[in-house]
Amino acid sequence: MSKGTVVLAYSGGLDTSCILVWLKEEGYDVITYLANIGQVEDFDAAKKKAESLGAKKVFIEDLRAEFVEEFIWPSVQASAIYEDRYLLGTSVARPCIARRQIQIARQEGAQYVSHGATGKGNDQIRFELTCYALYPEVQIIAPWRIPEFYNRFVGRKDLMEYAEKHGIPVPVTPKAPWSMDANLMHISYESGILENPKSHAPADLYLMTKNPEDAPNSPDVLEIEFKKGVPIKVTHVKEGKSKDTPLDIFSYLNEMGGRHGVGRIDIVENRFIGMKSRGIYETPGGTILYHAHLDIETFTMDREVRRIKQGLGVKFAEMLYNGFWYSPECEFVRHCIDKSQESVEGKVQLSVFKGQVYILGRESPKSLYNEELVSMDVQGDYDPCDASGFIKINAVRFLVPYSLIIFHSSSHTI
Amino acid sequence: MSKGTVVLAYSGGLDTSCILVWLKEEGYDVITYLANIGQVEDFDAAKKKAESLGAKKVFIEDLRAEFVEEFIWPSVQASAIYEDRYLLGTSVARPCIARRQIQIARQEGAQYVSHGATGKGNDQIRFELTCYALYPEVQIIAPWRIPEFYNRFVGRKDLMEYAEKHGIPVPVTPKAPWSMDANLMHISYESGILENPKSHAPADLYLMTKNPEDAPNSPDVLEIEFKKGVPIKVTHVKEGKSKDTPLDIFSYLNEMGGRHGVGRIDIVENRFIGMKSRGIYETPGGTILYHAHLDIETFTMDREVRRIKQGLGVKFAEMLYNGFWYSPECEFVRHCIDKSQESVEGKVQLSVFKGQVYILGRESPKSLYNEELVSMDVQGDYDPCDASGFIKINAVRFLVPYSLIIFHSSSHTI
Amino acid sequence: MSKGTVVLAYSGGLDTSCILVWLKEEGYDVITYLANIGQVEDFDAAKKKAESLGAKKVFIEDLRAEFVEEFIWPSVQASAIYEDRYLLGTSVARPCIARRQIQIARQEGAQYVSHGATGKGNDQIRFELTCYALYPEVQIIAPWRIPEFYNRFVGRKDLMEYAEKHGIPVPVTPKAPWSMDANLMHISYESGILENPKSHAPADLYLMTKNPEDAPNSPDVLEIEFKKGVPIKVTHVKEGKSKDTPLDIFSYLNEMGGRHGVGRIDIVENRFIGMKSRGIYETPGGTILYHAHLDIETFTMDREVRRIKQGLGVKFAEMLYNGFWYSPECEFVRHCIDKSQESVEGKVQLSVFKGQVYILGRESPKSLYNEELVSMDVQGDYDPCDASGFIKINAVRFLVPYSLIIFHSSSHTI
Amino acid sequence: MSKGTVVLAYSGGLDTSCILVWLKEEGYDVITYLANIGQVEDFDAAKKKAESLGAKKVFIEDLRAEFVEEFIWPSVQASAIYEDRYLLGTSVARPCIARRQIQIARQEGAQYVSHGATGKGNDQIRFELTCYALYPEVQIIAPWRIPEFYNRFVGRKDLMEYAEKHGIPVPVTPKAPWSMDANLMHISYESGILENPKSHAPADLYLMTKNPEDAPNSPDVLEIEFKKGVPIKVTHVKEGKSKDTPLDIFSYLNEMGGRHGVGRIDIVENRFIGMKSRGIYETPGGTILYHAHLDIETFTMDREVRRIKQGLGVKFAEMLYNGFWYSPECEFVRHCIDKSQESVEGKVQLSVFKGQVYILGRESPKSLYNEELVSMDVQGDYDPCDASGFIKINAVRFLVPYSLIIFHSSSHTI
């Protein structure tokens, strides 16, 4: 008799194929689920493979549009960036994937979900927190954290042997000496030879962006139009070509960014699990959007609102990285950030060239920039004498004798 | 009889030359003071000009080394960046310049200081807050905020006429249609034709960095060594050339960054005075250091310490931008940040190419990166089962029925 | 010919009566405006006085209900408290008062508004920022910052003489040796003999609360019901009496708090203007609400949401104190806080006794408290083994050798 | 053969006595360790009991002085308060107790430590994180998280039976219907009948403070002198009596606070483990110190420094609550806070009466309060006209047309 039904997040690769078979061995009915979030993949082949391995049902789900609209767009609004550098391309995909997995589990009456994420990474957390949040009674089977599984499959060799034994097609090309995760937003590379933080990434690692050295010798100039903090249109200024649905916009920015080698980073980051890891990422479209959004936001948002929103954005990035997309606090922060974006609209012109994004200019019907007020040539309503009072009052704190002691006693003494 | 002595921050240009003469007209003895903080300037000519215009004394002060060590280095430690983009090259020079001005004023027994900063900008505040902090009894003469002065000199034409009338040498080359401020760290460009936020900056604007399109077609690879969060050595990996004093290191990074067009930004920022302004900046060496420091910091600093330090860095950047370098709070924050940098040491390899800085790898004797712990191939002391407990406890909050309502009622409902 | 019309915030006292006459002398038509925000005042007498002194029009406006609903309630939601102690009773009244003043100015076609706030205080800022925000073109006449005025009226004696000369009724009772500001929320006392921060406040200072030593010897027990973070009902548990409109609720809490001497503080605070001042406040009803709201909020709000909201509340308190109620950032923060309060509902029982508020218990249909989950006697769904993994993963950061050095080198070494 | 040596945190009560015997049964050599951190306890009896139950060695350690100086004092400096209400009396004792336990384990060559904390609480985390931080290789035996143990001892009855069977003296008085934790700083009460958040705490619960209704009818007035943010002397103003060592000062404040019923709170709080729990606390001396320190700090610390320090204090409280006293981040924050306290010195007078602390006045040689500057009667160096400029510049942001739309569209429209 079946122990029950499990919905397995299935990639089509060796690991999750072995997990599929192993779960069956363990007595579960297995439904496989493969999300299309923009990675390069032969979805038909994966489907057939899952079926041939005994999946009771196979779901291939195209989540690309909702991934962009419901997950990437809020991250753009938030200027979400983890530890000042990482644009969170993997993190933001996880709740999107897991949400559908839970929908399938509920719809199919499955009490279990399973995934092939490792026990040292962030993804297990991101998947599972989403599952618990959306389906609190769910039971999660994470083979890479189950001693019977991970002690049996200590290395790739064990998986290969198991695969051969169980008729699982074995990859013919050798595995790259690193692991990668790809989606519409980015590709990440880690592990293997990249674990040595000192060694440089090989030049042929990158799949999504051109090597800037080989990129075109002249820039492409784009105009991105924003409304409520999200792009609603991108136009290639010279060619006049434009895109205006979320998925098209984002894909086009990926194409442009990829062509010019935009968005490569090599970082050491802090995992939620408490260890530092080295990751290499390429996020072409996301990098362009990050810069463009920052520009239009500063142009249209009040200084003090932005300061508060900036703090919320930092918190949002941490939540996202740690897997708390579906949590009361992240819902709350997304709401607040969304509110802050109400008047973030207008057009930004930028060029992409040899790995870099250059902001060229911006305009907005909701700009808070006042050309007359700021002009050096026009006095306008502004009375420069006011500045004297402003400065003097700001210095009042310094006039109390003791307050000065702090720095007079410092090394910066005059 | 003299109204007293005033120490004037003198640039040698038309404005401050007119101010010099005007102050004399007004009855002051004028001492001029010109700081060498790395700008391109004919200091001898400026000296002679000031003397010929009747300065009682002329001070030309080479502050470059202290500018780097006491002002730029703490900013590097802080990863100081204003509104996510501006590296604060002008802001950080102001307290350095004003400090020496105050030293001169005290030493010369001057009760007054004066400067040529405008009444709409940040610099007036940065100068004056430093003055009040270090010399609370000082009186400040800011002609561009004195109605008799600014009503008399409404446009450049008035200054020219005044100059001719008073034997002030008049610049023969026409003024650029923007204003700029240069020092060792950066050049900023604003005003004039740049006031229209939509119009692109002219290609020939930049003086410190090459146009990336014209930059070399192959990268230079550098290794920067840090100790306590500041660079102590930079080496050109191929050429083997290296620099190891603060001023040499920073100058060399400027040279390298400049050659490859690194550090150009075009932004709209929020002035302390409450208005948005458009600024274009090029910060070649500072940009390289920002990236390199960030990398070695994340490598050697505990995640949670860094999170707190990140918040302090944001505050530090605001203080610096607003002119509060010499304030109790900025001293306090600098102290805290300095403390956080104790173990920020090691070497970062990076390449500069076509406007971009690429981190290539890093190593450190104080690294908190544990290659064995993070390895996918080695289990080490880490027990993957612990992660299950970690995740489940992190999900406890979601298990309380009502907590879910927040997002179940949201648009992201499943 | 008249210079124009000015709407004067008129208190009926000596200062603003002199200002009224002085403004007329200066050539303005004067409309007086007196807000009833709950202070004890003879409004009829004030009206007659203003008319007799030549006010063109006299407005007496009862703002008590909107003061509670639109200003105090959001402050309760925010747990607004300045520098950990001050409940902002004066600060929160200012935008309420100034808003109506601006409404009157617009309606009466007045280009000017005027007030009697001093030049060293916070209130001038709070009034004027509200005016500029709601009526940017308004001109403000602040006599205590106009040299001709403040040099003429150096002390109270000068005002008295002027009053006598111009037929202004002079107060017969001597002025208290301190100044006070009263409204529905609190009375503040400062200046005069209170300026010495060491000297104790006289026992007879307080007008709104009983001396705790003379307060009843047994507590009153109240139940306050909240919805969306604001009280919707207060019930005297023993007497069964209850109130359910905002103004009635708040007035009743004032009565109860006042009877038991609740809400007295003596603090030194930091003014926006940069100086420290000593203030004594009594806020009976506000203090009860602060405690009750905090209790129901923690009971019904997710931990992490609350943490973010707490930070927003601190910012809100600063904005409120500094006069930025009507600002983009304060609107934004109020919106966010309001959002956080959606499920803050339920009943809190508390007692008031001898100056203190004691929370006794709470209940809520939206509680996130799970009695079974937390119970020591029931294990429930909770698996204690999960805690082991949780703790070990939280300790992963400590296992990296170098991370320990920080504290091993500290004085807390073991 | 012994499995090894375990140092057990032993309380002398039923639970840890059973654990002692159980550990022996399991094959361990057991060393018991009982810390005296100010709780009321018969330490001799506990010693004899442990010996009679077969402890290999018995340590009774008087940690009171170091508890006050090294743990409570830094918390006072930080104004450490969790979720705006809880003064962290239990939290702050845990690292102090665990540190000595680890010292004993190292000295005795024990590889194991054990404790009787439950699997749902915070204390297990606080104990264990301290252990891992100070002795990363240590192994922790937490019986209440070991299925064989907790399934065997489901209720108190099982423990009683086990005790009788193994000659463990069984308590003769019935257990209170709640659990408590006592130390020099506070007593906490939770669980049992207190788990219902609505039911009021019984009047006879409190052991450390008098019921305010029964407290003296006249206040005691104390003067507390601070240096570097910690008390160095407390004086009873009327009686002239004073204390000047940390332990004496704190004990005396406990006595005074206890006599007047100071420091009782009844709260629902958020555990690190993700659940809300109800706790009742009495912290007499700590409450007095919290208020006194806050007062002298605001008097002597710059406004902006304090704002930053306030944020650090909130973070410190969370770390402390969550068990991260010994962590890189907490060391860092303690360092920063300590730095902020350099000039926090002076004397605060206060009265304690019927559960309340009233600040009466303060003085300091390092005060930043400037009586002349703030005085209403003296103008001093302050020029009121400066305030006009200050206000106008602060309003510049409001003058940009679009910035107003935010609130003009809000419900607060005028």
Side-chain angles (χ1 to χ4, degrees), chain C residues 141-160:
Chain C
I141 302 171
W144 289 117
R145 294 201 311 261
I146 298 172
E148 305 91 83
F149 187 89
Y150 65 71
N151 288 328
R152 178 165 172 189
F153 300 103
V154 174
R156 189 168 166 82
K157 210 174 121 271
D158 301 318
L159 287 167
M160 298 283 265

Side-chain angles (χ1 to χ4, degrees), chain B residues 42-154:
Chain B
D42 184 339
F43 293 102
D44 275 344
K47 188 171 188 204
K48 280 179 200 136
K49 192 172 180 183
E51 283 167 348
S52 78
L53 294 175
K56 226 181 76 182
K57 259 192 176 175
V58 175
F59 286 85
I60 308 281
E61 305 282 309
D62 183 349
L63 307 181
R64 291 174 305 153
E66 64 191 65
F67 179 40
V68 175
E69 285 175 69
E70 295 181 47
F71 295 87
I72 297 179
W73 272 194
S75 305
V76 168
Q77 289 183 314
S79 299
I81 194 161
Y82 183 68
E83 294 184 339
D84 294 320
R85 296 188 287 183
Y86 169 39
L87 285 170
L88 295 152
T90 296
S91 324
V92 76
R94 297 307 176 227
C96 176
I97 297 170
R99 179 175 69 168
R100 182 61 59 96
Q101 187 172 8
I102 288 301
Q103 286 167 331
I104 293 169
R106 283 188 180 276
Q107 158 198 323
E108 300 294 320
Q111 310 95 301
Y112 297 91
V113 294
S114 181
H115 62 73
T118 71
K120 282 183 176 178
N122 291 307
D123 285 336
Q124 54 176 344
I125 312 176
R126 295 167 185 154
F127 274 124
E128 297 181 20
L129 288 181
T130 301
C131 294
Y132 287 131
L134 300 180
Y135 188 2
E137 320 85 80
V138 78
Q139 307 230 44
I140 293 169
I141 303 171
W144 288 116
R145 295 200 312 259
I146 298 173
E148 305 91 81
F149 186 90
Y150 67 69
N151 287 330
R152 180 165 170 189
F153 302 103
V154 174

Side-chain angles (χ1 to χ4, degrees), chain A residues 120 195 276 301 369 378, chain B residues 120 195 276 301 369 378:
Chain A
K120 285 184 173 175
E195 279 169 6
K276 291 187 186 290
M301 191 181 284
Y369 179 92
V378 189
Chain B
K120 282 183 176 178
E195 279 169 6
K276 291 187 187 292
M301 191 181 284
Y369 179 92
V378 188

Side-chain angles (χ1 to χ4, degrees), chain A residues 42-295:
Chain A
D42 184 338
F43 293 102
D44 274 345
K47 188 172 188 205
K48 281 180 198 135
K49 191 172 178 182
E51 283 166 348
S52 78
L53 294 176
K56 228 180 76 184
K57 258 192 175 173
V58 175
F59 286 86
I60 309 280
E61 304 282 308
D62 184 350
L63 308 181
R64 290 174 305 154
E66 64 192 64
F67 178 40
V68 174
E69 284 175 69
E70 295 182 47
F71 295 87
I72 298 179
W73 272 194
S75 306
V76 168
Q77 288 183 315
S79 299
I81 194 161
Y82 182 67
E83 295 186 337
D84 293 321
R85 295 188 288 184
Y86 170 39
L87 285 169
L88 295 153
T90 295
S91 324
V92 77
R94 297 308 177 222
C96 176
I97 296 169
R99 178 173 71 168
R100 182 60 60 98
Q101 188 172 6
I102 287 302
Q103 286 167 332
I104 293 169
R106 284 188 179 276
Q107 157 198 323
E108 300 294 322
Q111 312 92 300
Y112 298 91
V113 293
S114 181
H115 62 73
T118 71
K120 285 184 173 175
N122 291 307
D123 285 337
Q124 53 176 344
I125 313 176
R126 294 167 186 154
F127 273 124
E128 298 181 21
L129 288 181
T130 302
C131 293
Y132 287 130
L134 300 181
Y135 187 4
E137 320 86 83
V138 79
Q139 307 229 42
I140 293 170
I141 302 172
W144 288 117
R145 293 200 313 259
I146 298 173
E148 305 91 82
F149 187 89
Y150 65 72
N151 287 330
R152 180 164 171 189
F153 301 103
V154 173
R156 188 167 167 83
K157 210 174 119 273
D158 301 317
L159 287 166
M160 299 281 267
E161 279 172 21
Y162 184 82
E164 271 169 43
K165 197 170 134 199
H166 290 82
I168 302 170
V170 169
V172 286
T173 49
K175 198 186 164 299
W178 53 74
S179 72
M180 55 175 266
D181 176 69
N183 64 44
L184 201 60
M185 190 165 175
H186 88 342
I187 303 182
S188 72
Y189 308 88
E190 57 173 18
S191 306
I193 61 167
L194 305 177
E195 279 169 6
N196 178 347
K198 192 184 166 181
S199 61
H200 299 195
D204 65 346
L205 178 101
Y206 303 94
L207 301 179
M208 209 170 173
T209 57
K210 245 202 159 132
N211 185 337
E213 298 187 38
D214 306 327
N217 287 313
S218 59
D220 279 294
V221 176
L222 307 174
E223 180 176 272
I224 304 180
E225 184 173 353
F226 288 87
K227 190 147 195 171
K228 303 206 173 197
V230 299
I232 55 167
K233 192 178 184 182
V234 56
T235 307
H236 189 289
V237 171
K238 217 179 222 162
E239 302 174 1
K241 193 156 103 181
S242 71
K243 306 286 175 182
D244 58 11
T245 72
L247 183 53
D248 284 351
I249 290 170
F250 198 73
S251 302
Y252 185 67
L253 291 174
N254 270 340
E255 183 193 328
M256 284 293 114
R259 177 198 294 183
H260 289 281
V262 165
R264 296 177 167 197
I265 58 168
D266 176 331
I267 65 172
V268 169
E269 73 198 52
N270 289 293
R271 289 195 185 150
F272 188 23
I273 221 101
M275 44 183 86
K276 291 187 186 290
S277 74
R278 194 252 196 113
I280 291 169
Y281 303 96
E282 47 182 353
T283 317
T287 301
I288 298 173
L289 271 181
Y290 174 80
H291 290 286
H293 174 268
L294 203 51
D295 195 70

Side-chain angles (χ1 to χ4, degrees), chain C residues 303-344:
Chain C
R303 179 185 71 196
E304 297 302 316
V305 174
R306 198 187 168 279
R307 215 154 273 185
I308 296 162
K309 186 258 170 182
Q310 184 182 359
L312 293 173
V314 169
K315 288 197 176 80
F316 175 73
E318 287 171 17
M319 291 171 199
L320 181 43
Y321 186 85
N322 289 345
F324 289 89
W325 183 278
Y326 285 109
S327 67
E329 65 271 28
C330 198
E331 285 283 334
F332 175 58
V333 167
R334 274 202 303 282
H335 173 90
C336 297
I337 289 175
D338 190 60
K339 174 76 183 171
S340 78
Q341 303 292 302
E342 272 177 6
S343 63
V344 178

Side-chain angles (χ1 to χ4, degrees), chain A residues 70 82-85 99 102-103 106 118-120 124 128-129 132-134 136 144-145 150 191 195-198 200 212-213 219 266-268 270-278 294-295 298-299 301 303 306-307 310 318 324 326-329 331 349 353-356 358-363 368-369 371-376 378-379 382-385 387-388 390-392 394-395 397-398 404 406-407 410 412 414, chain B residues 70 82-85 99 102-103 106 118-120 124 128-129 132-134 136 144-145 150 191 195-200 212-213 219 266-268 270-273 275-278 294-295 298-299 301 303 306-307 310 318 324 326-329 331 349 353-356 358-363 368-369 371-376 378-379 382-385 387-388 390-392 394-395 397-398 404 406-407 410 412 414:
Chain A
E70 295 182 47
Y82 182 67
E83 295 186 337
D84 293 321
R85 295 188 288 184
R99 178 173 71 168
I102 287 302
Q103 286 167 332
R106 284 188 179 276
T118 71
K120 285 184 173 175
Q124 53 176 344
E128 298 181 21
L129 288 181
Y132 287 130
L134 300 181
W144 288 117
R145 293 200 313 259
Y150 65 72
S191 306
E195 279 169 6
N196 178 347
K198 192 184 166 181
H200 299 195
E213 298 187 38
D266 176 331
I267 65 172
V268 169
N270 289 293
R271 289 195 185 150
F272 188 23
I273 221 101
M275 44 183 86
K276 291 187 186 290
S277 74
R278 194 252 196 113
L294 203 51
D295 195 70
T298 316
F299 195 52
M301 191 181 284
R303 179 185 72 196
R306 198 184 169 281
R307 216 154 272 186
Q310 183 182 0
E318 288 171 16
F324 290 89
Y326 285 109
S327 67
E329 64 271 27
E331 284 283 335
Q349 290 214 353
F353 177 65
K354 295 278 185 191
Q356 185 68 294
Y358 299 92
I359 301 297
L360 303 173
R362 72 290 292 164
E363 65 185 308
L368 297 182
Y369 179 92
E371 198 167 334
E372 190 185 293
L373 179 62
V374 81
S375 173
M376 286 303 194
V378 189
Q379 190 167 304
Y382 182 84
D383 180 352
C385 301
S388 305
F390 181 70
I391 297 168
K392 289 201 110 179
N394 269 299
R397 286 187 295 127
F398 307 161
L404 299 172
I406 296 177
F407 43 82
S410 84
H412 305 287
I414 66 162
Chain B
E70 295 181 47
Y82 183 68
E83 294 184 339
D84 294 320
R85 296 188 287 183
R99 179 175 69 168
I102 288 301
Q103 286 167 331
R106 283 188 180 276
T118 71
K120 282 183 176 178
Q124 54 176 344
E128 297 181 20
L129 288 181
Y132 287 131
L134 300 180
W144 288 116
R145 295 200 312 259
Y150 67 69
S191 306
E195 279 169 6
N196 179 348
K198 193 184 165 181
S199 61
H200 299 196
E213 298 188 38
D266 175 332
I267 66 172
V268 169
N270 288 293
R271 290 194 186 153
F272 189 23
I273 222 99
M275 43 181 87
K276 291 187 187 292
S277 73
R278 195 253 196 113
L294 203 51
D295 194 70
T298 316
F299 195 51
M301 191 181 284
R303 178 184 73 197
R306 198 184 169 280
R307 217 155 270 185
Q310 184 182 359
E318 287 171 16
F324 288 90
Y326 285 109
S327 68
E329 64 271 27
E331 286 282 335
Q349 289 213 353
F353 176 66
K354 295 279 185 191
Q356 183 68 294
Y358 298 92
I359 301 296
L360 303 174
R362 72 291 290 164
E363 63 184 310
L368 297 182
Y369 179 92
E371 197 166 335
E372 191 185 291
L373 179 63
V374 81
S375 172
M376 284 306 192
V378 188
Q379 191 167 302
Y382 183 83
D383 180 354
C385 301
S388 305
F390 181 71
I391 297 168
K392 287 200 111 178
N394 269 300
R397 287 187 294 128
F398 307 161
L404 300 172
I406 295 178
F407 43 82
S410 85
H412 304 287
I414 67 161

Side-chain angles (χ1 to χ4, degrees), chain C residues 168-186:
Chain C
I168 302 169
V170 169
V172 286
T173 49
K175 199 187 164 297
W178 53 73
S179 73
M180 54 177 267
D181 176 68
N183 63 44
L184 200 61
M185 190 166 175
H186 89 342

